[in-house]
Amino acid sequence: MKYSLTIGWLYPELMNIYGDIGNITTLIKRCEWRNINSEVKMLNPGFKSEELVNCNLLIMGGAQDKQQTVVNKDLKRVKKELCQMIEKGIPGLYVCGGFQFLGKYYKEADGTIIDGLGVLDLYTENSGENIDRLIGNMVFMPEVKELNKPIVGFENHGGRTYLGRKIKPFGKVIKGFGNNGKDLTEGAIYKETFGTYSHGPILPKNPEFADYLITKALEKKYNSRITLKSLDGSLEDNARLVIAKSLDIEI
Ligand code: GLN
């Protein structure tokens, strides 16, 4: 049987910085290498909610505050459907600005408060001082039993995210800032939804996580256990070692 996946790329033109497009390319290629069909739905402002609900995996990248304000208005139209998908366990990856939308609110650098979807118990505030942005390569250890290698990425955000009691972090910071530069938490996990501050982009640098998302999306769609054919990851492992060395850490 030939499997197929529909990947919903939320706001590809507005929410796509620091190489986030690489997450889509990685998912397509890793499906192709296993003879899995994949189709990418470009969900630009004004997209129809039917297009969204037919997706098996959702991806949203990050953006500057300016684009986030525009996207936030459009996102309100599909809030109900998107929250239902997250609650149903449709897997998704939401990076930085995308991650901030999942929480209760995001206070932008100029003090404007934009309401989030409120589906994750967290909030984000940006103090507005440019000097205070959290920037650099980052490494964190994911708190997901299937993922046993540190995740390497790149972060650049003014917002500080604080998790509430009802939400688990995606991982623990080894190097870098993560959610707020204080409590060593990075990102968040809710059901099969992952929020992270890691651009980089995250999936090509950490293919085990890409495969985890593909597996979960297929399992949900076909309602059966899926084991993906393994692929050679030595190039990515070496790339991670180079980054770790440059950061003076051992992974
Ligand atoms: N504009 C948001 C912030 O500065 C998100 C940035 C991003 O997506 N890299 O916190």
Side-chain angles (χ1 to χ4, degrees):
M1 171 177 161
K2 183 147 175 152
Y3 293 122
S4 66
L5 269 190
T6 304
I7 301 165
W9 187 5
L10 286 152
Y11 306 101
E13 282 160 25
L14 291 164
M15 304 290 295
N16 178 20
I17 48 173
Y18 314 126
D20 285 336
I21 189 175
N23 294 328
I24 299 292
T25 313
T26 299
L27 292 169
I28 295 171
K29 289 312 275 184
R30 295 186 79 79
C31 282
E32 189 186 308
W33 290 331
R34 287 149 168 143
N35 203 25
I36 298 166
N37 273 334
S38 68
E39 183 198 359
V40 178
K41 282 250 176 292
M42 308 281 268
L43 303 172
N44 281 305
F47 67 83
K48 296 198 178 70
S49 57
E50 304 88 79
E51 291 181 278
L52 173 71
V53 296
N54 289 325
C55 293
N56 312 114
L57 176 58
L58 297 173
I59 304 292
M60 176 152 45
Q64 314 298 338
D65 287 9
K66 196 170 166 200
Q67 288 83 10
Q68 283 178 260
T69 310
V70 177
V71 168
N72 184 50
K73 289 202 182 99
D74 194 69
L75 211 47
K76 288 204 165 91
R77 292 182 309 113
V78 290
K79 177 174 174 174
K80 192 172 119 224
E81 290 84 354
L82 183 52
C83 291
Q84 277 171 353
M85 289 174 83
I86 291 172
E87 291 292 352
K88 265 199 327 205
I90 301 294
L93 168 64
Y94 301 78
V95 179
C96 202
F99 168 38
Q100 293 169 349
F101 281 138
L102 301 178
K104 293 180 176 144
Y105 68 88
Y106 169 46
K107 185 175 166 201
E108 295 183 328
D110 68 2
T112 310
I113 299 219
I114 58 175
D115 301 330
L117 295 173
V119 65
L120 266 57
D121 182 19
L122 56 91
Y123 66 92
T124 305
E125 294 189 344
N126 188 329
S127 66
E129 296 153 37
N130 261 347
I131 200 157
D132 223 3
R133 288 186 74 80
L134 307 178
I135 305 175
N137 285 319
M138 71 190 299
V139 180
F140 68 94
M141 194 62 209
E143 289 174 14
V144 179
K145 71 173 180 334
E146 291 88 342
L147 302 176
N148 46 30
K149 292 181 185 178
I151 289 189
V152 169
F154 167 79
E155 61 187 321
N156 184 347
H157 51 112
R160 271 81 168 150
T161 296
Y162 298 93
L163 307 182
R165 286 218 199 99
K166 288 184 256 162
I167 192 89
K168 280 196 326 182
F170 183 8
K172 186 170 178 204
V173 174
I174 299 173
K175 191 86 185 186
F177 301 101
N179 285 339
N180 50 55
K182 286 187 209 138
D183 64 13
L184 297 184
T185 64
E186 156 50 23
I189 309 178
Y190 179 66
K191 300 194 174 178
E192 293 302 341
T193 288
F194 291 79
T196 180
Y197 271 109
S198 179
H199 296 278
I202 187 171
L203 296 185
K205 285 187 171 171
N206 306 280
E208 300 74 19
F209 182 36
D211 288 352
Y212 176 92
L213 292 172
I214 294 170
T215 304
K216 291 293 170 187
L218 289 174
E219 288 185 341
K220 185 82 188 163
K221 177 170 179 186
Y222 294 98
N223 195 22
S224 62
R225 288 274 304 155
I226 305 279
T227 306
L228 295 180
K229 191 179 93 185
S230 66
L231 298 170
D232 178 20
S234 48
L235 200 64
E236 292 90 341
D237 284 344
N238 281 336
R240 271 197 294 252
L241 288 176
V242 170
I243 293 283
K245 203 171 163 211
S246 75
L247 294 173
D248 249 344
I249 53 167
E250 276 188 33
I251 56 171

